[in-house]
Amino acid sequence: MFALWGRILCRLRWVVLVATVGFAAFAGIWGTGVFDSLEDGGSLDDPASESQRIGPRVTEEFGRQHVDLVVLYSSDELTVADQEFRDAVVAATERFRAHPAVEMVTSYYETESAEMISTDEHATFLPIRLVATAGDEEVEEVQDIAPVRGLDAQVGGQLAIDLDLDTQIGDDVARAEMIALPILLVLLVIIFGSVVAATTPLLVGVLAILGALTVIRAITMFAEVSVFSINIITLLGLGLAVDYALFIVSRFREELDRGRAAHDAVARTMATAGRTVAISGLIVTLALSGLLIFPQLLLRSMGFGGAAAVVVAMMTSLTVLPALLAVLGHRIDALRLPWTRKRRIRTVTGTVAAAAGTVTDRGLWAGIANSVRRRPGLYAIGVTAVLLVLAAPFARVQFGGVDERVLPSGTESRVVSERLVSEFDGDGIDPIRVLVSGVASDVAAQYAERISTVSGVRETSVTAQNDDSTLFTVSYEGAENSVQARRVVEDIRALDRPAGAEVMVGGGTAAVVDQLNGVKERLPWMALLVASVTFVLLALAFGSLLLPLKAIVMNMITVGSAFGVVVWIFQDGRLAEPLNFTPTGYLEASQPILMLAIIFGLTMDYEVFLLSRIRERWDQLGDNSAAVASGVQRTGRIITAAALLMCVVIGAFATSGITFIKMIGIGILVALVIDATLVKLLLVPATMHLLGRSCWWAPRFLGTLHHRSGLRETDSDESDEDRKPELVGAR
C-alpha cells in the first residue's frame, strides 16, 4: 500500500507541490490568526470540581466576590497615614472607579481594614474587580491608570499574571525559533553533507507548524484552546517534522545509492521508512491524545496542539516530502560540502557472518552493536542500574499548584504577589471561602465555630449573608500552595455538615486540592488507554507479543529516569541559579502528565525506528542476533542524529522564562539523551539478545494479521542484500 502511495505521489508530484504552496499561503494568512482565538493563560481547574462550582453559586447568591487586579502603592519615605500618600491613593481610586471596565474598587481609607496596610505602614493596595466581559485591552487600560506622582505603583492579581504569562510565552517562542532554526540548519548540513538535503527537513518543519496552527484555529471554533498550545505546536511540529524528514530522506538517499531510479527509490522509501513514520506518528498522536481525558483547559489544549502538530508533521512527511524527493531525485545531494566523501553501500556477499550475528561494516555503530551482542547481560544490568539511580529521586516527589513563581523573578505581577505575602498580615487576595446554604444563619454560625477549631485555621469571618446562605472567609497558616494549607481544606471538607445544609469550599488552595485529586483519578485511565493502544499497534507492526511489552517497559524506565532528574533539579532546587528559576519544593501536578505524554511518544518514536530495521533484518536473515546487531548499526546514526536535532529544539524551549515550560524542556531533553544513548543503543538490543528468538513469538492469528496488515518493513520483493552485487552497486 505504501509503495503504491509513493508511486502515486511521483506521478502527481507537481500537483502536490503546487497545492502545498497554496496551502502554505492560506495557513500563513488564516492559520497564523489563531492567536486572536486562543484563551489567555491555561486553567488547571476542573470545571466540575467543588472549588469551581462554588464561584457561580456565590455570584448568584451575593454577586461577584473575586478580585481581578491588585494595585500596590508604596513609598520609602511616606506612610499610609501621611496626607500626601492618602490624597494620591484616593485620587487613583476615583480614576479607577470612573473606568467603565471596573466593577469594584476600594481602599484602606474606605474600609479601614488593617489587612490592607503593610506591617511597616509604608504600603497599601487597591483590590479591583473588572466587569465579566473585560479582556486584555481593558486590563492594559486599567494598568495605565495606576501610576501616581510621589508613590511607587505596581499592578498584580490574576489577570495581570495571565497577561505577563502571555507576553512571556510570545517572547519565548520567538527566541526559541531564533535559536533552534540556525543550529538545526548547520547540524543538518553536517549530518547530510549537502545543503539541499539539509533544507528539506526544515521545510517540512515550517509546513508542519503552519498546518498545525491552521488545525488549532479550526478547533477553536468548537472548543476552548489555551495560548500555551503554541509552545507544544512549535516544539513538536518542528522537532518531529525534522525527525521524520531525516528518516525518510536518509532512506531515500540509501535507495538511490543502491542503484534505484528516483521514482523507484521514492516507492521503496514509502514502503519502508514511510510505513515506519506512519506507525510512529500514529502512536505519538494517540499518546498525546490521552491528554484529552483530562478536563483541565491546559492539558486538553496541549493534547489538541500536540496531536495536531504530530498529525500534520506526519502527513507532510508522507505527502509533500516524497513529492519533493521525486522532483529532486539525485539532486538531493546538490551543493555537497567539499570535504564530504561519497557514500557507499556495502553488500553482503555471504551469509556466514550474518548467521553468526556479526556486523561486517566497521565504525562506531558496528562496534557498539557487536559489543552489546557479546556481553548482553553485562550491558543490561549496568544500564538498568544507572537508570534506577537516576530515577531514585522520583520516589520522594511532591506535587502542588501553579503560582506567580513560575514567572521570572522581578516580573511586576509576581513582585506584587510576593509583597502581599511578605509585607501584609492578611492571606493575600484569595483566601479559603466556605459557602453554607439551606440553613439559618445561627446554624451556619455554629458550623463556622467548628471550622475555627480545625488545625491551622486562624479565623473564620462572615463575608456575606442572606436569609438562606452565608459566605465565610477562612484565614489560615502557611502559603496558599503549601501542604499545610491543603490539609486545612481537606479537614474542613471532612467536618460533619449541619443537617439539610449544602457546604462548598473554594478558593485557590481548594482549587489545588481538586486539581491533585482530579489528576490522580484520571491518570490511570490515560496510562491504560495509551499503553493498550500502543501495545496493539506495535503487535500488529512487528508481529510479536513480547516486543510491545518490552518497548512499553523500556520507555517507562526512560520516563522514570527523566522524572528523577526533574525532581532533583526543580523540586530540590538544584541548578536553580544557573537555570534561573525559583524552586518551590514541589512539582506542579499537571506538568509531569504532559511530560509523560510527550516523552512516551517521542521515545516510542525512536523505538519504532529501531525495531523496524531489526524486523526487516529478521525477515531477511531469520537470525535474531544478527538482526538486532544489524538494526543497531543501521539506525544508530539516524536515531542519534534525530535525537540531537530534537534536543536542539527542546533545548531552545528550555530557555523559557516560565518555570514549568523550562521544566518540561529540560525533562524531555534529559529523556531524549537517556533514550538515544543508554536505552535504544544499549538496553534494548541487550534485552533482545538475551530473549533470543522468543522476541518474535506470536500466536498464529497475530502472525496472520501482521502478514496481511501491510505493517511489515520489508516488501515481498527481493531484499537488497539477497540481490546480486552487480545489481546493487553504488552510483
Side-chain angles (χ1 to χ4, degrees):
M1 180 181 71
F2 281 88
L4 176 61
W5 175 245
R7 296 187 184 97
I8 292 174
L9 290 174
C10 287
R11 288 196 295 268
L12 301 177
R13 57 192 180 278
W14 288 111
V15 174
V16 172
L17 294 179
V18 170
T20 300
V21 172
F23 174 78
F26 170 76
I29 297 173
W30 190 79
T32 54
V34 68
F35 296 93
D36 296 331
S37 304
L38 298 173
E39 297 293 322
D40 295 335
S43 174
L44 293 168
D45 298 320
D46 180 356
S49 65
E50 182 176 308
S51 60
Q52 300 308 302
R53 289 186 287 110
I54 190 177
R57 284 292 304 277
V58 170
T59 300
E60 179 183 347
E61 297 273 357
F62 308 107
R64 298 171 68 229
Q65 298 291 315
H66 64 278
V67 173
D68 296 314
L69 295 174
V70 176
V71 183
L72 182 63
Y73 290 107
S74 61
S75 172
D76 294 332
E77 300 177 356
L78 300 175
T79 67
V80 175
D82 291 330
Q83 189 64 39
E84 184 179 349
F85 197 120
R86 178 190 182 102
D87 291 344
V89 172
V90 169
T93 304
E94 294 305 318
R95 290 199 303 273
F96 285 124
R97 194 166 282 145
H99 194 284
V102 174
E103 183 177 279
M104 182 280 299
V105 60
T106 189
S107 71
Y108 162 74
Y109 304 106
E110 297 172 355
T111 65
E112 297 185 353
S113 171
E115 294 183 350
M116 295 184 69
I117 59 174
S118 62
T119 53
D120 65 2
E121 299 185 353
H122 282 271
T124 186
F125 65 86
L126 305 182
I128 299 176
R129 181 166 59 247
L130 303 184
V131 297
T133 57
D136 289 349
E137 184 176 347
E138 286 77 13
V139 172
E140 291 172 348
E141 290 176 358
V142 173
Q143 287 178 317
D144 292 339
I145 298 175
V148 297
R149 180 175 297 180
L151 300 179
D152 294 325
Q154 295 173 303
V155 182
Q158 191 57 54
L159 292 186
I161 291 174
D162 290 343
L163 196 59
D164 285 338
L165 283 172
D166 294 346
T167 302
Q168 187 70 47
I169 287 173
D171 295 342
D172 289 346
V173 170
R175 183 176 61 253
E177 292 174 346
M178 291 287 290
I179 294 173
L181 288 175
I183 298 176
L184 283 177
L185 179 59
V186 172
L187 288 176
L188 285 168
V189 170
I190 294 173
I191 291 169
F192 282 119
S194 161
V195 175
V196 173
T199 56
T200 53
L202 288 182
L203 174 63
V204 174
V206 172
L207 289 174
I209 292 174
L210 289 175
L213 292 177
T214 303
V215 172
I216 289 300
R217 183 167 187 186
I219 292 176
T220 59
M221 297 179 179
F222 309 98
E224 292 184 342
V225 182
S226 166
V227 68
F228 285 110
S229 62
I230 300 301
N231 291 79
I232 198 170
I233 286 175
T234 306
L235 186 152
L236 291 181
L238 181 59
L240 280 178
V242 169
D243 275 4
Y244 291 158
L246 172 67
F247 194 60
I248 288 177
V249 172
S250 296
R251 186 68 186 231
F252 176 72
R253 298 171 86 201
E254 182 179 324
E255 297 301 331
L256 290 179
D257 287 342
R258 296 185 188 281
R260 296 182 187 272
H263 289 191
D264 291 336
V266 169
R268 177 65 180 171
T269 298
M270 287 294 98
T272 53
R275 282 174 173 158
T276 302
V277 167
I279 297 168
S280 172
L282 185 58
I283 291 175
V284 179
T285 300
L286 291 172
L288 291 166
S289 297
L291 295 172
L292 300 179
I293 289 177
F294 297 93
Q296 288 86 353
L297 175 62
L298 177 63
L299 292 177
R300 285 192 294 106
S301 298
M302 292 298 194
F304 283 134
V310 176
V311 168
V312 176
M314 176 183 68
M315 295 304 297
T316 305
S317 300
L318 296 179
T319 54
V320 180
L321 183 57
L324 180 61
L325 294 177
V327 171
L328 290 174
H330 291 284
R331 291 188 295 272
I332 191 69
D333 290 323
L335 301 179
R336 175 177 290 278
L337 298 180
W339 59 83
T340 58
R341 294 181 299 174
K342 191 176 183 65
R343 301 180 314 280
R344 184 165 60 93
I345 298 294
R346 295 178 175 89
T347 61
V348 179
T349 57
T351 61
V352 176
T358 302
V359 182
T360 56
D361 286 354
R362 297 178 180 179
L364 173 64
W365 312 115
I368 292 175
N370 279 322
S371 179
V372 174
R373 180 188 60 80
R374 289 191 295 267
R375 309 175 192 87
L378 180 62
Y379 275 102
I381 294 173
V383 172
T384 301
V386 172
L387 296 178
L388 289 177
V389 169
L390 292 175
F394 189 61
R396 50 183 169 79
V397 65
Q398 296 290 327
F399 294 109
V402 171
D403 59 31
E404 69 282 347
R405 288 174 291 180
V406 302
L407 287 166
S409 59
T411 304
E412 184 173 306
S413 59
R414 171 179 171 173
V415 170
V416 171
S417 295
E418 292 173 337
R419 291 187 65 185
L420 287 174
V421 173
S422 63
E423 300 178 18
F424 293 76
D425 284 334
D427 295 308
I429 58 174
D430 196 7
I432 296 174
R433 297 186 185 276
V434 180
L435 177 64
V436 182
S437 302
V439 294
S441 59
D442 59 333
V443 177
Q446 294 174 7
Y447 182 70
E449 292 177 0
R450 289 162 53 197
I451 292 176
S452 298
T453 64
V454 170
S455 177
V457 172
R458 291 207 307 256
E459 183 184 5
T460 304
S461 58
V462 176
T463 302
Q465 194 172 47
N466 59 30
D467 293 338
D468 191 52
S469 299
T470 305
L471 179 65
F472 297 101
T473 296
V474 180
S475 61
Y476 53 91
E477 299 173 357
E480 179 181 308
N481 276 329
S482 66
V483 174
Q484 183 179 11
R486 298 203 298 268
R487 189 175 296 115
V488 170
V489 170
E490 293 169 349
D491 290 345
I492 292 174
R493 287 177 171 175
L495 291 174
D496 291 333
R497 303 182 177 189
E502 179 184 10
V503 179
M504 304 177 73
V505 182
T509 305
V512 173
V513 172
D514 290 339
Q515 290 167 17
L516 296 178
N517 291 337
V519 166
K520 291 177 184 177
E521 178 183 346
R522 294 175 183 263
L523 180 58
W525 293 106
M526 172 192 169
L528 178 63
L529 173 64
V530 173
S532 300
V533 172
T534 300
F535 177 84
V536 171
L537 289 175
L538 290 180
L540 288 174
F542 302 117
S544 166
L545 287 182
L546 192 57
L547 282 182
L549 287 175
K550 186 190 67 65
I552 292 172
V553 171
M554 295 291 103
N555 284 17
M556 292 312 298
I557 290 175
T558 301
V559 171
S561 301
F563 280 5
V565 175
V566 166
V567 169
W568 186 81
I569 293 176
F570 288 92
Q571 178 176 300
D572 297 349
R574 317 281 182 167
L575 308 181
E577 185 173 346
L579 293 178
N580 192 26
F581 70 90
T582 302
T584 59
Y586 58 81
L587 303 183
E588 196 284 309
S590 67
Q591 304 314 311
I593 295 174
L594 180 58
M595 289 171 57
L596 171 64
I598 297 176
I599 292 173
F600 186 87
L602 292 180
T603 53
M604 193 59 73
D605 190 44
Y606 300 145
E607 185 87 17
V608 171
F609 286 176
L610 174 60
L611 293 182
S612 294
R613 273 303 179 98
I614 294 176
R615 175 74 211 200
E616 179 180 3
R617 298 298 287 154
W618 166 256
D619 288 339
Q620 294 169 351
L621 303 175
D623 183 276
N624 182 72
S625 182
V628 173
S630 179
V632 171
Q633 180 213 356
R634 288 165 177 256
T635 60
R637 178 177 178 272
I638 293 179
I639 288 176
T640 304
L644 176 62
L645 296 173
M646 181 64 80
C647 283
V648 170
V649 178
I650 299 294
F653 279 88
T655 64
S656 173
I658 300 175
T659 300
F660 63 78
I661 294 179
K662 186 191 299 288
M663 183 182 77
I664 291 173
I666 291 176
I668 297 173
L669 183 66
V670 170
L672 290 178
V673 172
I674 292 172
D675 188 67
T677 54
L678 296 178
V679 177
K680 293 299 182 287
L681 297 183
L682 301 179
L683 186 57
V684 170
T687 53
M688 291 189 70
H689 281 303
L690 292 172
L691 291 171
R693 296 179 64 90
S694 60
C695 288
W696 308 102
W697 180 85
R700 184 179 300 274
F701 79 90
L702 180 59
T704 302
L705 286 175
H706 169 67
H707 183 76
R708 293 179 178 177
S709 65
L711 296 179
R712 297 195 305 164
E713 182 76 3
T714 306
D715 278 352
S716 59
D717 60 338
E718 209 173 23
S719 66
D720 295 320
E721 280 70 24
D722 292 334
R723 297 179 179 202
K724 294 181 180 180
E726 62 268 25
L727 297 179
V728 192
R731 299 198 319 267

